[in-house]
Amino acid sequence: MKQSEKNKKLSGASGFDEYYSNLFGARWNSIKESFLLESDYAEWNAGGEKSYFLDSASVRAAVSLPLDGACDILDLCAAPGGKTLVLASNMPENANLLSNERSPERKNRLLNSVRDCLPQNIQERVRVTCKDGAVMCKVNESCFDAILLDAPCSSERHVFNDEKYLCEWSPSRIKTLSMAQWALLSSAWRMLRKGGFLLYSTCALSPDENDNVVAKLLKKFDDVQVLDPEISLEYKKFCNSDLPDYEKTQFGAQVLPDRANGAGPLYFCLLKKSES
C-alpha cells in the first residue's frame, strides 16, 4: 500500500502517533515526552510598559531575518505579536513595520502587544492591519525589503496536549494547511523587493508544511536563494536568554524540544530574492 493511501486511514490519537512515528522513528517517543514539559520561554523587553514572553525558538527564528538597510518590513501573520516585537525592536530608525493578522480577534491581541510592549517612538512606526495575506500581493507587489511569514500550521505540540484536537486529528489537516501555507508564501514572495529577505516559519513537524512548501517556491520562481539562518541582530539588548541550536533540514532549520531544552518545535527557512 502506498504511503498516501496509508495516511488516509490514519485518524485520531492512534493515527497521530503512527503518522509521526513514521516520520521520526524511535526519536518520536522522546519528542512526545518533551511535549509534556514546559516550553523554554524567553523574556523580550523592548522598553514598553510590559515584557513579552515567547518560545526561545521563535526568538531564534525572528532574529534570523536580516533588517540592515530595510525601510519597509512586513510581518504577514503576526498575532499574537511576539515576533512583531522582535522585528520592531531591531528595525532601523528610518524603517516602518506593517504587522498584519487575518483574524479580527487575534488582531486585537496583536494591537495589545504593540501597545503594551513597545515604547511610543517605536509604536508610531508600526501599523497593524487585518487582511488576508494570501491576496495582499494584488495591491502590494514588490513593496517590502524584509518579510516574516510565520504561517498557520498543525502545531502538533498543542494538538498532542489537547484531547479534543487529538481525537479530531487526521492527515487531511496537514494537506489543507500546506495549501494555505503555499498561498501565503507565494503571495509574500511577490510582495518582496529584489534583494530582499523572507523568513518562512512554522511550529509544525511535517515536511509537507516546511521544506516541501519551500520546494514549491523554488520550483515556481527562478529568483529564490536559500541562505543559512544566522543571528543577524543584537538581540541581547532585549533578551537575556540563550537561544537554542537548530538541526539542519533540506532547505531550512528545525528546533525540536527534546534536544533544545523544551524550545520549539519550530521550523524556519531564510530566503533571498535575487537582484537579477
Side-chain angles (χ1 to χ4, degrees):
M1 182 183 297
K2 294 181 179 179
Q3 187 63 44
S4 60
E5 294 175 349
K6 289 178 64 178
N7 286 346
K8 290 180 181 179
K9 297 180 180 296
L10 301 178
S11 64
S14 61
F16 179 90
D17 195 61
E18 183 176 346
Y19 181 89
Y20 290 101
S21 180
N22 289 336
L23 283 180
F24 290 97
R27 187 180 176 184
W28 175 234
N29 285 329
S30 64
I31 293 174
K32 285 193 298 182
E33 290 173 2
S34 69
F35 283 173
L36 297 172
L37 304 176
E38 185 176 358
S39 297
D40 182 41
Y41 286 107
E43 180 181 5
W44 190 268
N45 186 341
E49 294 180 1
K50 299 178 181 178
S51 293
Y52 190 98
F53 292 84
L54 69 164
D55 193 298
S56 60
S58 294
V59 177
R60 179 65 181 86
V63 298
S64 298
L65 178 64
L67 297 181
D68 287 347
C71 293
D72 301 295
I73 303 165
L74 171 65
D75 189 352
L76 189 55
C77 301
K83 294 187 180 71
T84 276
L85 301 178
V86 175
L87 298 181
S89 304
N90 287 285
M91 65 183 178
E93 291 184 358
N94 64 333
N96 294 288
L97 172 62
L98 176 62
S99 193
N100 179 73
E101 173 55 46
R102 179 178 178 176
S103 162
E105 180 180 354
R106 286 171 58 81
K107 177 202 170 189
N108 289 333
R109 293 180 62 191
L110 173 60
L111 281 167
N112 289 337
S113 298
V114 170
R115 181 196 64 203
D116 294 341
C117 302
L118 289 176
Q120 186 62 37
N121 64 316
I122 296 180
Q123 288 185 43
E124 293 170 354
R125 294 187 286 123
V126 178
R127 183 163 65 97
V128 175
T129 58
C130 186
K131 299 180 180 180
D132 182 355
V135 297
M136 280 178 62
C137 60
K138 293 181 179 180
V139 293
N140 293 283
E141 188 169 355
S142 302
C143 286
F144 298 98
D145 303 300
I147 299 175
L148 192 152
L149 169 56
D150 185 23
C153 67
S154 286
S155 189
E156 290 92 348
R157 185 170 191 158
H158 298 293
V159 171
F160 181 78
N161 287 302
D162 190 305
E163 184 176 353
K164 176 179 179 292
Y165 289 121
L166 189 59
C167 290
E168 295 173 350
W169 180 90
S170 75
S172 63
R173 174 170 168 78
I174 295 173
K175 183 177 181 180
T176 298
L177 284 164
S178 67
M179 293 171 62
Q181 291 154 357
W182 164 243
L184 287 164
L185 182 57
S186 58
S187 176
W189 194 252
R190 289 180 170 91
M191 290 190 279
L192 188 66
R193 289 175 178 145
K194 291 181 179 180
F197 296 92
L198 188 154
L199 189 96
Y200 173 72
S201 68
T202 79
C203 54
L205 293 173
S206 173
D208 285 342
E209 299 183 54
N210 298 330
D211 275 339
N212 293 350
V213 181
V214 174
K216 291 182 70 173
L217 191 76
L218 290 164
K219 184 176 181 180
K220 175 71 173 179
F221 299 95
D222 59 7
D223 56 356
V224 184
Q225 296 176 266
V226 179
L227 306 178
D228 289 332
E230 299 179 358
I231 296 178
S232 57
L233 304 174
E234 298 180 23
Y235 79 93
K236 287 288 189 180
K237 294 178 181 177
F238 311 100
C239 178
N240 292 325
S241 299
D242 292 326
L243 302 184
D245 292 328
Y246 62 79
E247 302 170 45
K248 284 287 293 178
T249 66
Q250 182 180 6
F251 299 118
Q254 195 164 35
V255 177
L256 296 175
D258 62 324
R259 296 180 183 173
N261 195 37
L266 197 97
Y267 168 90
F268 56 105
C269 179
L270 180 61
L271 307 166
K272 182 179 181 180
K273 180 174 281 191
S274 301
E275 295 279 2
S276 60

